[in-house]
Amino acid sequence: MNDATPAASIRTPHFEPEVVADQLRDGYWLEAADLDSDGRTDLFGYGLRLGEIYWYRNDGRWTRRLAADGIHMPVGADYADVTGNGSFDIVVCHELYGPIGTIVDPDPEGGKISWLENPGHPDKDSSRWRRHYVGRATGMHRLRAGYFTQTERLEIIGLPIVAVEDVHSLVPVVMFTQPADVYSAAEWEMTVIDNTGFRMIHGAEKKHGIVPGSSLDSLLLASDEGVTWLYWDDKRGGWRSENFGTGELTQFQSTGFRGSGDLNAGSLGDDPMAYVAAVEPFHGNTVAVYTKPASRSGGSWKRTVLDVYGDPNENGEGPGHQIVCADFDNDGDDEFLVALRGPWPWQGVMYYKAIDAEAGIWAKWRVAEESVARIATADFNGDGRLDFATIAYAVDNYYVAKDAKIVLHRNRIAEAQ
């Protein structure tokens, strides 16, 4: 891990907001990807209620186009070149809940995963993205597409959050492998990675290049069990999981939730996973950071609580929903962002910078004030600096933000010095 950062070298974060879309009827998910292959990163996003997935073209006006509709309750998503034609397609899981519309009510026939075929015609407003079926597992809530065990065929790892039996029952981690013909396949082959180790998986982040000696992708999972790293071990020819910490445990008696809700890993110096930042527990109010043992050769990771944002509400939930790690000030170290859904003052985006991560010392700023469910990062204008975009949290039965919108926050850190 790197030495402590001198205070005089810290660059004050500043981001300039730009509204991409306002007056949203619902809001939940957001991703950044170059969907029209023009070299500029676009956005796609949606809420849970309307079943409409829109993408926003990075053309100076953020032109909105409907990619797909009629998708019942889309939840988690990712993107990948499923067809191999050089264009990104959208992968989405949907039909999570039944009539009640909460985690106590998973649809026993739902939990489906589909991929939406990019038509490659961004100038045609009427172009719908054709939907193809991948597979299903009850309670499907998150997914990540990548190359986790090999590099020949795309793999989609699906992560349910709840089971039919009970909210806190064990859920399976499953993987779907790309078929030879993605156009005609009725569904993708599914294998079970783990069905004995996880309950209530809420956060899942794909990480590339952090498995020693491997070019494969791996996953960080936030669940009842806390913070877990799941990866394929080529030497053993099997999956391995490492738990870095058990998460938030003190609220369990009053809220019924424990562990971690979302997470991400940050690099410091030459270490690609020097720390893991988490918001805890499920829909939690606590921000914690896990750092490696000083020797890196063994021992337990150290958990440091940085902030607690308000008290849990009547449903046992707090405002935290996502963690993003990235190098925004171009100094070689990753900062991390926390998405807070609200209500005020517990909403917006908080920016954390390591002063001495090993000692648990971090600087903090609020860099956005609107309700935020998800954050997507990219260099949207090609100036060599990472920007971030947000979408409001507007989900019935959980929290509905006022004035829900998608906002791009342009990186102006250099100008702020």
Side-chain angles (χ1 to χ4, degrees):
M1 189 174 294
N2 68 337
D3 295 331
T5 302
S9 68
I10 295 175
R11 309 178 75 186
T12 302
H14 177 65
F15 296 85
E16 181 181 324
E18 173 187 327
V19 175
V20 174
D22 59 4
Q23 298 183 351
L24 300 180
R25 288 183 170 85
D26 60 353
Y28 184 75
W29 199 265
L30 190 68
E31 293 283 350
D34 183 4
L35 297 178
D36 56 2
S37 302
D38 68 349
R40 295 173 295 190
T41 304
D42 310 297
L43 291 165
F44 71 87
Y46 52 86
L48 304 187
R49 181 168 58 89
L50 297 179
E52 300 167 353
I53 296 177
Y54 289 92
W55 73 281
Y56 301 83
R57 192 179 186 192
N58 187 356
D59 56 3
R61 302 182 303 275
W62 291 107
T63 302
R64 186 183 79 162
R65 291 189 168 87
L66 180 63
D69 58 357
I71 299 178
H72 177 59
M73 192 172 289
V75 190
D78 202 350
Y79 58 91
D81 182 4
V82 179
T83 64
N85 66 359
S87 296
F88 286 127
D89 307 290
I90 294 173
V91 187
V92 61
C93 58
H94 50 100
E95 300 182 32
L96 168 59
Y97 299 143
I100 298 176
T102 68
I103 56 174
V104 302
D105 176 41
D107 183 347
E109 301 301 322
K112 299 174 183 177
I113 295 177
S114 298
W115 67 274
L116 308 178
E117 182 183 347
N118 190 332
H121 302 292
D123 294 322
K124 295 183 179 180
D125 288 339
S126 62
S127 295
R128 292 290 194 277
W129 296 36
R130 183 183 174 192
R131 193 197 314 183
H132 303 264
Y133 183 66
V134 172
R136 64 165 298 276
T138 300
M140 191 69 68
H141 180 261
R142 295 287 185 261
L143 61 85
R144 290 297 170 197
Y147 297 89
F148 299 96
T149 69
Q150 45 73 50
T151 58
E152 298 299 318
R153 293 190 178 185
L154 183 71
E155 296 165 325
I156 299 172
I157 292 183
L159 302 144
I161 186 171
V162 293
V164 170
E165 294 80 10
D166 187 82
V167 171
H168 299 287
S169 292
L170 288 166
V171 293
V173 177
V174 297
M175 185 174 74
F176 302 88
T177 302
Q178 181 184 38
D181 186 344
V182 295
Y183 298 105
S184 63
E187 61 183 301
W188 295 21
E189 179 185 359
M190 185 184 82
T191 56
V192 177
I193 295 174
D194 187 295
N195 61 3
T196 62
F198 297 100
R199 305 172 193 269
M200 209 168 189
I201 302 170
H202 182 264
E205 288 301 326
K206 179 178 66 180
K207 306 300 288 187
H208 182 77
I210 65 173
V211 180
S214 174
S215 61
L216 296 173
D217 297 316
S218 61
L219 280 180
L220 285 166
L221 302 180
S223 68
D224 258 22
E225 291 66 40
V227 172
T228 306
W229 183 29
L230 182 66
Y231 63 93
W232 178 262
D233 186 336
D234 265 334
K235 293 181 180 179
R236 287 180 31 179
W239 290 93
R240 291 190 63 180
S241 64
E242 296 184 25
N243 184 268
F244 298 155
T246 55
E248 168 55 45
L249 304 179
T250 65
Q251 299 176 20
F252 179 72
Q253 294 301 320
S254 59
T255 68
F257 299 124
R258 54 166 289 164
S260 301
D262 200 78
L263 78 176
N264 212 317
S267 67
L268 296 174
D270 61 356
D271 188 342
M273 190 165 58
Y275 70 89
V276 175
V279 59
E280 300 174 332
F282 166 78
H283 286 186
N285 63 350
T286 303
V287 174
V289 173
Y290 298 80
T291 50
K292 286 181 178 177
S295 67
R296 302 191 189 182
S297 60
S300 301
W301 285 55
K302 177 184 176 182
R303 178 178 183 262
T304 302
V305 173
L306 300 185
D307 280 298
V308 177
Y309 291 105
D311 295 322
N313 63 17
E314 64 276 8
N315 298 319
E317 299 180 13
H321 200 249
Q322 189 192 12
I323 297 283
V324 171
C325 294
D327 184 5
F328 293 98
D329 59 8
N330 287 342
D331 70 346
D333 292 339
D334 282 350
E335 297 74 46
F336 73 88
L337 306 180
V338 180
L340 301 176
R341 72 186 191 186
W344 185 263
W346 317 123
Q347 72 180 37
V349 176
M350 306 305 295
Y351 176 110
Y352 288 82
K353 173 73 178 177
I355 306 300
D356 188 336
E358 198 166 304
I361 302 172
W362 297 72
K364 176 185 69 173
W365 296 263
R366 188 194 299 271
V367 292
E369 296 187 350
E370 69 275 3
S371 171
V372 177
R374 300 286 300 182
I375 302 170
T377 61
D379 179 3
F380 289 99
N381 58 4
D383 67 355
R385 297 177 292 184
L386 277 179
D387 313 297
F388 70 90
T390 65
I391 189 170
Y393 195 107
V395 179
D396 289 345
N397 298 317
Y398 287 96
Y399 182 78
V400 178
K402 298 177 181 178
D403 190 23
K405 63 184 71 172
I406 296 173
V407 182
L408 170 63
H409 296 268
R410 296 194 182 276
N411 192 331
R412 298 289 187 252
I413 292 177
E415 291 89 338
Q417 303 314 307

